[in-house]
């Protein structure tokens, strides 16, 4: 599964990119606003740090304006993927931009039927939100399973991006289901490294080594 980082923060992206395991970045208007720079500027900086798909979301809500904004965002860098919301206007704009070979990530997807519409419109990526469904007492991961099945049934090339992943368990479940991509905040990427037996095992290896070789040196 490709790992995308769900952040517009440059420090977090530099740290994650240094590990060599980051395949892309997703942003949204809330994440861009948090950093305080105009979107064009922030996305250009992100493209310098991570070599992979970088999603940049439009804020327009009418198809015509979405298309214009999408074209501008796509012109920032060849790695930019234009992010559009799953509304009637968003799907219309997806159809137009996809035909121009502009790659579109359709976001705010909460049903399998919505995901089918995005695939039919030519979306490059569909972003179903797992955590936000969990927040409502539903099992968000079931949506990922449904979409992966439907896309497989019909050979839709649209990639499934499990979004709103909030824990290492979410990440594992999305990967087991066969989601193509998982996007998660930096702290979730960081948490994927952790296991207490890794820490205690390393401590013991180093102590055993030190016992023999420090004693030899001293002798
Ligand atoms: O980028 C969209 C999505 O991943 C948001 O996650 O945790 O705000 O529901 P969250």
């Amino acid at each position: 599964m490709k790992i995308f980082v769900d952040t517009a923060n440059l420090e977090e992206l530099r740290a994650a990119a240094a590990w060599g395991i980051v395949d892309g970045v997703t942003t949204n208007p809330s994440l861009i606003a948090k950093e305080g720079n105009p979107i064009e500027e922030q996305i250009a900086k992100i493209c310098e740090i991570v070599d992979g798909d970088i999603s940049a979301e439009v804020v327009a809500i009418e198809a015509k304006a979405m298309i214009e904004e999408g074209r501008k965002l796509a012109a920032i860098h060849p790695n930019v993927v234009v992010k559009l919301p799953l509304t009637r206007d968003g799907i219309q704009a997806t159809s137009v931009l996809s035909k121009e070979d502009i790659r579109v990530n359709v976001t705010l997807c909460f049903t399998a039927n919505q995901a089918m519409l995005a695939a039919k419109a030519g979306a490059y990526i569909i972003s179903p939100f797992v955590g936000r469904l969990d927040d409502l007492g539903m099992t968000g991961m079931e949506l990922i399973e449904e979409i992966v099945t439907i896309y497989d049934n019909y050979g839709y090339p649209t990639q499934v991006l499990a979004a709103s992943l909030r824990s290492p368990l979410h990440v594992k479940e999305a990967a087991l289901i066969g989601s193509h991509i998982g996007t998660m905040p930096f702290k979730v990427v960081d948490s994927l490294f952790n296991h207490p037996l890794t820490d205690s095992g390393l401590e013991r290896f180093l102590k055993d080594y030190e016992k023999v070789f420090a004693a030899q040196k001293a002798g």
Side-chain angles (χ1 to χ4, degrees):
M1 184 170 76
K2 290 183 209 164
I3 293 181
F4 283 14
V5 194
D6 199 26
T7 184
N9 182 276
L10 304 183
E11 265 176 49
E12 289 184 345
L13 287 172
R14 275 189 206 104
W19 292 324
I21 47 87
V22 174
D23 300 296
V25 178
T26 49
T27 66
N28 59 39
S30 309
L31 293 172
I32 293 286
K34 219 164 127 188
E35 302 309 315
N37 289 328
I39 183 163
E40 294 80 7
E41 206 176 287
Q42 198 67 9
I43 294 292
K45 284 183 183 160
I46 292 172
C47 289
E48 281 172 22
I49 299 170
V50 175
D51 184 19
D53 292 341
I54 312 295
S55 287
E57 187 161 342
V58 303
V59 288
I61 53 169
E62 282 165 8
K64 194 169 170 284
M66 282 179 173
I67 293 164
E68 278 162 22
E69 203 182 326
R71 286 180 185 139
K72 278 188 197 142
L73 291 173
I76 297 172
H77 191 279
N79 286 348
V80 169
V81 176
V82 174
K83 210 168 166 191
L84 299 173
L86 210 155
T87 57
R88 286 169 181 77
D89 285 79
I91 290 298
Q92 188 182 333
T94 300
S95 303
V96 172
L97 292 175
S98 299
K99 285 191 186 79
E100 294 176 11
D101 287 332
I102 290 177
R103 298 172 309 156
V104 177
N105 173 357
V106 177
T107 188
L108 290 168
C109 170
F110 294 95
T111 73
N113 285 334
Q114 289 180 325
M116 200 154 54
L117 297 177
K120 291 184 73 70
Y124 172 67
I125 289 173
I126 182 70
S127 290
F129 281 30
V130 174
R132 291 193 191 184
L133 284 170
D134 288 0
D135 290 343
L136 299 184
M138 302 169 81
T139 308
M141 207 51 74
E142 280 173 10
L143 176 60
I144 304 297
E145 206 158 10
E146 288 174 359
I147 299 172
V148 166
T149 304
I150 291 170
Y151 282 10
D152 278 355
N153 286 347
Y154 295 98
Y156 290 127
T158 306
Q159 297 178 77
V160 180
L161 182 155
S164 186
L165 298 181
R166 310 241 182 95
S167 68
L169 183 60
H170 271 162
V171 177
K172 182 178 79 174
E173 285 175 347
L176 282 171
I177 290 167
S179 186
H180 305 96
I181 309 162
T183 194
M184 60 208 82
F186 175 79
K187 68 171 195 293
V188 176
V189 183
D190 188 57
S191 74
L192 301 182
F193 285 92
N194 298 339
H195 197 282
L197 288 178
T198 305
D199 299 338
S200 60
L202 179 61
E203 204 182 321
R204 200 193 303 170
F205 285 156
L206 295 179
K207 264 192 194 146
D208 290 344
Y209 187 89
E210 182 79 356
K211 247 188 269 167
V212 171
F213 293 103
Q216 267 186 15
K217 259 191 212 161

